[in-house]
Amino acid sequence: MSQPLTLAEFDYVLPPELIAQAPAAVRTASRLLHVDQLGHPHDLQFPALIDLVRPGDLLVFNDTRVIKARLFGQKESGGKVEVLIERITSENQALAHVRASKSPGPGTRLRLSNAIDVIVEGRENDLFMLKFNGSVLDLLDQHGAIPLPPYISHQPDAQDDLRYQTVYAREPGAVAAPTAGLHFDEGILNKFEQLGVSTAFVTLHVGAGTFQPVRVDKLSDHIMHAERYTVPQACADAINLTRSKGGRIIAVGTTSVRALESAAKAQREASLSHPEQSIPDPKSTLLANSGDTRLFITPGFDYQVIDAMVTNFHLPQSTLLMLVAAFIGLGTMKSAYAHAIAQRYRFFSYGDAMFLERNRSQ
């Protein structure tokens, strides 16, 4: 019997200067590390993705839009608070992380950005349920700030408002960008279309939990944060058509991966729960689906949908690094990251990209 996976397997030492603090001058100017099916690394520039994706393939993007989810203010007592919206639950309610010297209890009133009145309604585990005095989305858009990741040291500015957002973002709700998509601009998307490469969209609203480190030694003890996803009918149809013609399903970003594989997992579970309904195997026919997902992908996971992925470089000991290891193999992941560090790739949200082809032996 194999030993259970531990957190130490997913650690690596990253020189701080390799953490990208700003985006490349233009979206497609980043580098691209191609890891082929044999696990061999190839150093390229991002536009070379056009030569790696074949006519008949399908690129699946996450069209979530980053909201201005960070707010600063004070309690009635005068104590300072910082609020990071995790999830909008209704027009005027949201779940949020709240930082304060003393945790606010139910009924506490907050004044944010000298413009927004908020009442703390209660707790849901480590999140606070907040009621706003108006539309949460509208108030955030007027008074909030883009929630840059904690490893980016500067305060968000006008460039971040533009560049920490994909060019195809349209469904507001994320508090972190699906960063693999940041490398695509209208020009490269048009080139894919001209080459006969199809595109489809899922929505997964990325939560702040994406930056939370795994805090347990045994991965099986980790509990994922929940995120809302939708795989619409148009995307499911595009996937099934691509498969029928022998094309590959290429997920752009780990969030697209999680949305697709979460839909497949829900489909398989429905099939087991309702054998009388003849629900198809998601490896042959994927059905549209939406819901909350806590899917935790680690080595040994049986991918149902995707054949390749575009992704950025991820934090040590993160769930996203584990997802990558599950796709290309733990040893291949470690060697690819060692290669990237040696070759001075730029890491994390504003950093360089990878194109990973599936290792079918995993």
Side-chain angles (χ1 to χ4, degrees), residues 35 94 181 203 231 247:
V35 181
T203 303
V231 176

Side-chain angles (χ1 to χ4, degrees), residues 27-323:
R27 288 182 184 270
T28 59
S30 58
R31 297 167 70 188
L32 180 71
L33 178 60
H34 171 211
V35 181
D36 65 26
Q37 288 179 309
L38 298 177
H40 299 154
H42 307 274
D43 299 312
L44 306 168
Q45 296 298 310
F46 190 78
L49 184 65
I50 293 169
D51 301 317
L52 299 173
V53 178
R54 303 189 288 261
D57 287 346
L58 176 69
L59 290 168
V60 181
F61 299 91
N62 181 7
D63 66 2
T64 189
R65 185 171 188 83
V66 181
I67 58 176
K68 295 183 176 181
R70 181 165 276 127
L71 297 158
F72 298 91
Q74 57 276 331
K75 296 182 283 187
E76 285 180 306
S77 63
K80 293 182 179 180
V81 294
E82 177 183 345
V83 171
L84 177 62
I85 301 300
E86 172 74 16
R87 182 169 172 175
I88 297 172
T89 55
S90 69
E91 184 180 4
N92 65 347
Q93 291 177 305
L95 288 169
H97 303 268
V98 178
R99 294 178 60 183
S101 58
K102 184 179 179 182
S103 182
T108 301
R109 295 180 179 272
L110 309 177
R111 180 72 170 173
L112 306 177
S113 301
N114 289 318
I116 305 171
D117 293 313
V118 172
I119 297 175
V120 177
E121 294 190 312
R123 294 285 293 268
E124 189 172 297
N125 298 319
D126 58 340
L127 298 175
F128 292 79
M129 294 178 283
L130 305 181
K131 185 173 183 179
F132 285 68
N133 64 329
S135 165
V136 178
L137 270 178
D138 290 345
L139 291 169
L140 293 178
D141 193 51
Q142 294 173 46
H143 304 290
I146 285 286
L148 290 178
Y151 47 74
I152 292 179
S153 58
H154 69 265
Q155 293 299 309
D157 55 25
Q159 183 190 41
D160 297 304
D161 288 350
L162 177 67
R163 295 295 301 278
Y164 194 65
Q165 197 83 265
T166 64
V167 298
Y168 47 80
R170 59 190 179 202
E171 297 291 340
V175 301
T179 55
L182 300 180
H183 304 282
F184 292 80
D185 61 15
E186 295 292 352
I188 200 168
L189 291 172
N190 289 336
K191 287 181 180 178
F192 281 120
E193 183 179 3
Q194 293 164 11
L195 290 170
V197 176
S198 299
T199 57
F201 296 91
V202 297
T203 303
L204 185 141
H205 292 316
V206 191
T210 193
F211 299 116
Q212 297 299 316
V214 175
R215 294 188 173 92
V216 294
D217 186 51
K218 286 175 58 180
L219 301 193
S220 58
D221 293 336
H222 178 66
I223 299 174
M224 285 287 286
H225 58 286
E227 292 171 317
R228 187 75 182 172
Y229 76 92
T230 300
V231 176
Q233 189 65 53
C235 180
D237 290 344
I239 287 171
N240 297 330
L241 179 62
T242 300
R243 286 170 162 173
S244 72
K245 294 183 175 181
R248 296 178 299 172
I249 311 304
I250 302 171
V252 177
T254 56
T255 58
S256 296
V257 173
R258 291 190 70 233
L260 293 172
E261 297 297 335
S262 293
K265 179 175 181 286
Q267 187 173 328
R268 293 187 72 178
E269 290 174 348
S271 178
L272 293 172
S273 300
H274 305 283
E276 75 283 356
Q277 294 184 9
S278 300
I279 298 171
D281 186 331
K283 284 187 175 181
S284 61
T285 303
L286 185 68
L287 303 178
N289 189 265
S290 65
D292 287 347
T293 180
R294 292 182 180 271
L295 181 62
F296 185 19
I297 297 177
T298 59
F301 180 81
D302 183 15
Y303 281 93
Q304 304 287 299
V305 184
I306 68 167
D307 303 298
M309 78 170 82
V310 181
T311 187
N312 279 21
F313 293 94
H314 303 294
L315 292 161
Q317 300 186 342
S318 67
T319 62
L320 304 182
L321 188 64
M322 296 164 194
L323 181 154

Side-chain angles (χ1 to χ4, degrees), residues 1-10 216-221 298-299 330:
M1 178 180 289
S2 60
Q3 292 295 313
L5 290 168
T6 63
L7 193 57
E9 295 278 6
F10 301 91
V216 294
D217 186 51
K218 286 175 58 180
L219 301 193
S220 58
D221 293 336
T298 59
L330 181 58

